[in-house]
Amino acid sequence: MMARVLLCLDGNVIKEVRLVRDRTTVGRRPSNDIQIENLAVSGEHAMFNRVGRDVFIEDLGSTNGTLVNGKPVQRQLLDDGDEVVVGKYQLKFWRDADSNDDFEKTMMLQAPTRPIPPPAPRTAAVVSTRPTPVPAPMAAAVASTLAPTRPAAAPAQAAPAMQASGPMGVVKVMTGANAGRELLLNKPATTLGRAGTQVAVISKRQQGYVLVHVEGERTPLVNGRDIGALAHTLNDEDMIELMGIKMVFFLRD
């Protein structure tokens, strides 16, 4: 999703600004991302704040206030087509749908997305009377090394980066644009959040799944409490809150 605003005055478009940063400030001072040289606009007037797929407008204590569709706001989630008024200027908000802006790239920044190569061939790794997901050339190469007297073993697993041992961890999103979506924790480490805002990692360890704070001034909440700087062991049905988004962790057999 690409979010944009059109800066307008008296119905005339002055310029278009893409909201490519997590924070885009509006104000009279030159240090702002969107500078409006008008006495009705405060030095630091308002800020567009991206949180996942959502974009908020937040008033920064301006003298004349910030309006959304004619109503004064302190902080407001924006919908496509909303009009933000700062002084005498209008900032018309809209966004483009982007096929690459999927669940994992916006809300969840996953740990390595490239498949981890399968382990080196072992003599009993792919012996089976059933077809296996191992690519044909590799299967043939491995099969040629097998001693005919070796007992058959289970077929090699080709897909997940982590072999499942015990129940699989799952995160289900409860709030925000991705409410209802589920994320399988089928990698050694899965990164949640957004770089530069708040980032945490869920890792699979021998004792189970743990949540670790990585980046951001605030640490994630689990069941309403800060997890602090140490790894926090997750229990079934724990409620995680990150970047204002609530997620439930549970174990699936």
Side-chain angles (χ1 to χ4, degrees):
M1 182 271 296
M2 175 63 72
R4 312 164 186 255
V5 291
L6 295 178
L7 178 62
C8 306
L9 178 63
D10 298 329
N12 299 314
V13 177
I14 299 173
K15 65 178 178 179
E16 175 185 309
V17 180
R18 296 186 179 187
L19 304 179
V20 296
R21 301 179 180 178
D22 290 338
R23 295 174 175 84
T24 302
T25 58
V26 182
R28 193 174 67 253
R29 294 175 183 167
S31 58
N32 289 283
D33 301 303
I34 303 176
Q35 184 188 8
I36 301 176
E37 297 182 4
N38 185 274
L39 293 178
V41 179
S42 296
E44 296 177 353
H45 196 107
M47 175 180 68
F48 291 95
N49 185 16
R50 290 174 57 114
V51 181
R53 293 187 178 186
D54 296 329
V55 177
F56 295 81
I57 183 68
E58 180 177 347
D59 185 80
L60 299 178
S62 65
T63 301
N64 295 316
T66 301
L67 308 180
V68 174
N69 300 329
K71 297 180 180 179
V73 299
Q74 290 298 319
R75 179 177 169 85
Q76 175 71 42
L77 176 65
L78 295 175
D79 291 325
D80 198 32
D82 279 350
E83 183 178 85
V84 179
V85 175
V86 174
K88 296 181 179 180
Y89 289 76
Q90 302 85 43
L91 292 157
K92 296 183 179 180
F93 173 80
W94 57 285
R95 51 184 149 197
D96 298 328
D98 186 345
S99 59
N100 292 323
D101 186 29
D102 57 24
F103 175 57
E104 294 184 355
K105 289 184 180 178
T106 55
M107 216 291 280
M108 305 294 181
L109 306 178
Q110 292 241 17
T113 55
R114 295 177 299 174
I116 295 177
R122 296 179 182 175
T123 51
V126 294
V127 179
S128 175
T129 58
R130 299 176 297 170
T132 79
V134 178
M138 183 184 298
V142 173
S144 66
T145 68
L146 299 176
T149 57
R150 288 291 182 93
Q157 297 295 324
M162 178 182 71
Q163 294 289 339
S165 56
M168 174 69 70
V170 180
V171 166
K172 183 171 183 178
V173 183
M174 306 303 293
T175 62
N178 292 303
R181 302 289 295 273
E182 292 186 356
L183 181 67
L184 293 177
L185 304 175
N186 60 352
K187 295 178 172 62
T190 300
T191 306
L192 311 179
R194 189 177 187 87
T197 303
Q198 192 178 22
V199 178
V201 171
I202 296 180
S203 299
K204 177 71 164 80
R205 298 183 181 177
Q206 288 185 348
Q207 71 270 29
Y209 289 87
V210 298
L211 178 67
V212 181
H213 174 64
V214 175
E215 181 181 352
E217 295 181 358
R218 297 185 58 186
T219 60
L221 303 180
V222 174
N223 301 326
R225 296 182 179 180
D226 288 321
I227 67 169
L230 301 178
H232 180 90
T233 301
L234 292 172
N235 298 311
D236 198 22
E237 298 185 4
D238 272 352
M239 177 70 74
I240 302 169
E241 185 171 347
L242 186 75
M243 293 170 46
I245 297 171
K246 293 184 177 181
M247 300 162 272
V248 174
F249 166 83
F250 62 93
L251 298 170
R252 177 178 291 164
D253 293 327

